Amino acid sequence: FRGDTSMTSIELPAGLTSLGEYSFYFTRSLTSIALPASLTRIGKAAFYSCRSLTTIELPAGLTSLGENCFYDCSSLTSIELPAGLTSLGEYSFYDCSSLTSIELPAGLTLLGEWAFYGCGSLTSIALPAGLTSIGCGAFCDCSSLTSIELPAGLTSLGDGAFCDCSSLTSIELPAGLTSIIESTFECCSSLTSIELPTGLTSLGHSAFSRCSSLTSIELPTALTSLERYAFFGCTSLTSIELPASLTSLDESAFAGCSSLGAPRVLRCT
């Protein structure tokens, strides 16, 4: 059915267990589809750019969603993921600009790269307790997302995970996080404060770059490295104390922080 321009709805036969790659790729007239209860796998880009699809009910037995599965389904407003799903592939809901809510299953442990990139209508999302990894750019450009609670067991945040989340005002980071890498919170222009985990040892390139509402931040005593442009353009930042543990500080880490005086270095007593 790839590229079909006239199909508006379809009911798939009972007994079907797998939906192949690109099955409904660019079927832009498709508004509804009935999936059989027997379906356990949906392949790569199966519903890629089905821009008229507003809702879809996934079978309870579904265990695998391929990458790019609902890429650019710009009319999709909500979806409930089945309990047996343990991972979301790359670009799963990329640019689903009308998606306002989604319920992630409790067994989900991995959120793939760019999974919810550009979901500009998504205001909140509950992450399951067992989630250990959020991929690169997973929530990048989710411009309506105001807050999110990260699970306690999360140990990995990918590059640009929350980049350009311009409405994000607060986020609580789990204690087990030891590094914040490149552009993780870049351009989170509404973020006013954030508490960093005590075990954090490094802040990567542009980690908080252009967080223009950030007024203060306490750097943990375990921090050893501040990379290029870590706080570039944080124009509301007025003061910051550098821990004595810091061994690497790039000269551009605080470039463009127009309200900041000289950072004060904490000394051991």
Side-chain angles (χ1 to χ4, degrees), residues 99-104 111 116 122-127 139 145 147-149 162:
L99 190 69
T100 56
S101 65
I102 188 167
E103 189 175 335
L104 301 180
L111 202 55
F116 293 100
L122 193 66
T123 56
S124 64
I125 189 168
L127 301 179
F139 294 99
L145 193 66
S147 65
I148 192 167
E149 186 177 340
F162 294 96

Side-chain angles (χ1 to χ4, degrees), residues 89-140:
E90 299 175 3
Y91 304 93
S92 299
F93 295 94
Y94 186 102
D95 228 5
C96 289
S97 55
S98 298
L99 190 69
T100 56
S101 65
I102 188 167
E103 189 175 335
L104 301 180
L108 197 73
T109 57
L110 174 66
L111 202 55
E113 296 182 358
W114 311 101
F116 293 100
Y117 174 93
C119 292
S121 299
L122 193 66
T123 56
S124 64
I125 189 168
L127 301 179
L131 191 69
T132 57
S133 176
I134 294 178
C136 170
F139 294 99
C140 182

Side-chain angles (χ1 to χ4, degrees), residues 204-217:
H205 180 3
S206 301
F208 291 97
S209 175
R210 289 178 284 188
C211 290
S212 55
S213 297
L214 191 67
T215 56
S216 64
I217 192 166

